[in-house]
Amino acid sequence: MNYHIKDAVLADTGVLRTEWANQSMPVLNRVRERFEREKPLAGVRVGACLHVTTETASLMRTLKSGGAEINLCASNPLSTQDDVAACLVKEYDIPVFAIKGEDTTTYYQHIHSVLDNHPIITMDDGADLVATLHSQRTDLLKGVIGGTEETTTGIIRLRSMAEKGALKYPIIAVNDANTKHLFDNRYGTGQSTIDGIIRATNRLLAGSTFVVCGYGMCGRGVAMRARGMGANVIVTEVKPILALEAVMDGFRVMPIAEAAPIGDFFCTLTGDLRVITIEHFLSMKDGAIVSNSGHFNVELDLENLQDKATSRRMIREFVEEFILPNGRRIYVLGEGRLINLAAAEGHPSSVMDMSFANQALAVEYIAKKGQSFDKKVYPIPPEIDEEIAQLKLASMGISIDTLTEEQEKYIRSWEMGT
Ligand code: ADE
């Protein structure tokens, strides 16, 4: 088996951590049990580009149980858990190409290694696999029936490809399922981002001023959890409706130029580039701690920070100090890469349970129906979304009411008023 991982010796730790995560993934386990019986993915070659975590290991096992032949690479150079990569290779015979801290060249070589296996279904988190396939490996496109995409940033890229007629096969937008973005993006990013910042710095949030850039689902999760830890939270946002929501959720809202001189912590989650510029860095307080939890490492203008800095050094793992000409120290966490996966372990398993149940069911859906789809980005079918919510509630021991026949009839009618 061809693979490229840090060290196979790490497999034992990976097995234990993967088992631990899997205990909190009851919905995915239900899907896996069915896949084992029905083998809906028999012989389907899946090329996956995802964060290589304990939760991803459970997803890979599920697809394999369904009969899929999988190859996995990382969707970010800094998010791989090397013990999980080793566990997948050694314990589950799943080829992995991923090493934490790999450089950009190796990162793309790993994507090519996955593509070398001629996937007929792609699974992506950020659309780097799809972009590489559509730009450098176009010979493989004719063999692909469809793909799935995990994250907001990836969906934006893919929609732009579809609008320009560049997308050559259908994609299911896993991110857009309610059971994905309402939970993973908000509660998952909320908790894991704060976890990453605390693991990296060991600093107290209570009483600090914490600036959250972007009030999409991810930003609101971080703002909510930072407030829960006692921080005074400031939100910056470009969309008026989201900004208004932040105001009515009780946060201070202002432009980043006004927030820069008063923040102690900064975290970007916008999906866009140069949200924090060199002018903002120059106006920050001495000791400001700056991180990103958006998909790509483009939200902080690190190039200009590096250029302007009079010195830089690593203070502790994931904390780099830059001294500016004004004498102030700025601390950048995790190279400006998503801090929740760089310094912590990503979203907790219980929330990835729903995201990855969506992924598994989306792959099955594509395998069954992909051939009949147009070259567009499709939502997850609402029945799948609902089923996942129901299974999750059941796994939590929570039952809910159902409509009576009379109520059902009433909401479908228009005749009856007051
Ligand atoms: N994205 C965010 N958290 C993740 C996790 N734990 N596993 C895989 N992808 C993730």
Side-chain angles (χ1 to χ4, degrees), residues 31 34-46 59-70 120-121 123 145 359-368:
V31 175
R34 179 171 68 75
F35 276 16
E36 234 147 47
R37 288 192 307 274
E38 297 177 6
K39 302 284 177 211
L41 303 176
V44 172
R45 286 189 308 279
V46 177
L59 174 61
M60 295 298 107
R61 285 176 55 200
T62 304
L63 300 179
K64 190 164 179 179
S65 298
E69 293 164 23
I70 317 149
I120 67 165
I121 293 182
M123 296 182 91
I145 58 171
Q359 280 283 7
L361 296 177
V363 170
E364 180 186 33
Y365 181 63
I366 283 273
K368 276 197 189 135

Side-chain angles (χ1 to χ4, degrees), residues 51 53 55-56 125 340-341 345-347 352 356:
H51 300 297
T53 65
E55 293 74 25
T56 300
D125 186 336
N340 61 336
L341 281 139
E345 293 167 70
H347 305 347
M352 292 311 294
F356 282 172

